[in-house]
Amino acid sequence: GQQVMQIPQYQHVQEGEDFTTYCNSSTTLSNIQWYKQRPGGHPVFLIQLVKSGEVKKQKRLTFQFGEAKKNSSLHITATQTTDVGTYFCAGSAGGFKTIFGAGTRLFVKA
Amino acid sequence: SAVISQKPSRDICQRGTSLTIQCQVDSQVTMMFWYRQQPGQSLTLIATANQGSEATYESGFVIDKFPISRPNLTFSTLTVSNLSPEDSSIYLCSVPQGNYEQYFGPGTRLTVT
């Protein structure tokens, strides 16, 4: 079945450093979504990518969807303590059913 | 985006008992999803709840253990039956909006003793 792999499992950064998490699917995706879950909270939708090679930006966050629509990345420039949490990618091969990656937990040291 | 509430927010239950979790949405939605998130883990889809039809369960999840009701377009319940410590998790409902993105309820944290 479809699998979505995400690395790294966790990352510690100093405030101001950049951060990247990567997502790879075993199958071609129709779309990929990114979510952020703060400690003790629930996942919150960040963005969706649907086009091959698509790049979207939200302030310091840059999201990319690979040309083959099987991988994606989230890059945060100059991390802040408010970026702390777990970032999940979630891929769909079609329809609303999505498979979540394992998540990358980000720790930011002030 | 839809506003989603869940009850209870947390509960401690004894093994062998059952817990019913409620999910309420402030607008009518066709589909609702139920997820399980074990401690420190990712989200695993349990089932899709459709109004007027039986829920669709994912591999590894069965109706006897996780019965779901969907009486109308704004409400659903998930029951976790015959509880064991392995059922200790966060249970989340979500609804799809727009182009596939999902909005999650605040979750129900279940501890089984």
Side-chain angles (χ1 to χ4, degrees):
Chain A
Q2 180 188 355
Q3 289 186 320
V4 175
M5 293 147 285
Q6 191 174 353
I7 57 170
Q9 183 178 354
Y10 59 87
Q11 188 157 2
H12 294 258
V13 300
Q14 195 75 30
E15 189 174 26
E17 293 181 339
D18 292 356
F19 160 77
T20 304
T21 174
Y22 301 91
C23 192
N24 283 284
S25 170
S26 58
T27 59
T28 302
L29 301 170
S30 64
N31 65 81
I32 195 157
Q33 301 143 42
W34 286 91
Y35 296 82
K36 177 182 179 181
Q37 185 174 27
R38 294 181 183 274
H42 60 275
V44 174
F45 173 76
L46 293 176
I47 208 161
Q48 176 177 257
L49 305 169
V50 296
K51 297 178 183 177
S52 171
E54 188 170 16
V55 178
K56 287 188 176 180
K57 293 190 176 184
Q58 288 181 349
K59 297 183 180 179
R60 295 178 294 104
L61 279 62
T62 302
F63 305 84
Q64 292 187 323
F65 201 9
E67 294 290 341
K69 300 184 73 173
K70 296 180 74 172
N71 58 5
S72 182
S73 64
L74 158 60
H75 180 82
I76 302 178
T77 303
T79 55
Q80 300 175 358
T81 55
T82 53
D83 295 325
V84 164
T86 301
Y87 293 84
F88 292 99
C89 62
S92 172
F96 284 102
K97 180 179 174 181
T98 55
I99 306 297
F100 280 76
T104 296
R105 188 165 182 182
L106 174 63
F107 300 86
V108 180
K109 185 176 181 181
Chain B
S1 61
V3 176
I4 305 164
S5 60
Q6 279 186 239
K7 290 181 181 179
S9 58
R10 59 179 63 229
D11 207 343
I12 301 172
C13 300
Q14 291 194 345
R15 66 178 69 200
T17 63
S18 298
L19 176 70
T20 295
I21 302 166
Q22 299 178 7
C23 181
Q24 179 76 51
V25 187
D26 69 343
S27 58
Q28 294 186 340
V29 292
T30 306
M31 285 187 288
M32 296 175 75
F33 301 109
W34 285 99
Y35 286 86
R36 181 175 71 184
Q37 186 174 29
Q38 294 177 307
Q41 301 297 311
S42 184
L43 290 86
T44 302
L45 181 63
I46 298 171
T48 302
N50 299 301
Q51 196 271 335
S53 64
E54 294 284 337
T56 304
Y57 289 84
E58 297 301 308
S59 176
F61 297 96
V62 295
I63 188 171
D64 289 347
K65 176 68 175 177
F66 298 98
I68 287 171
S69 76
R70 183 80 200 275
N72 57 55
L73 292 173
T74 64
F75 186 79
S76 178
T77 67
L78 168 73
T79 299
V80 189
S81 303
N82 190 23
L83 290 168
S84 68
E86 293 72 34
D87 294 320
S88 296
S89 291
I90 298 172
Y91 293 86
L92 299 129
C93 64
S94 77
V95 299
Q97 300 268 275
N99 296 320
Y100 307 110
E101 60 259 35
Q102 293 184 44
Y103 291 87
F104 286 84
T108 296
R109 183 179 295 271
L110 169 61
T111 302
V112 182
T113 60

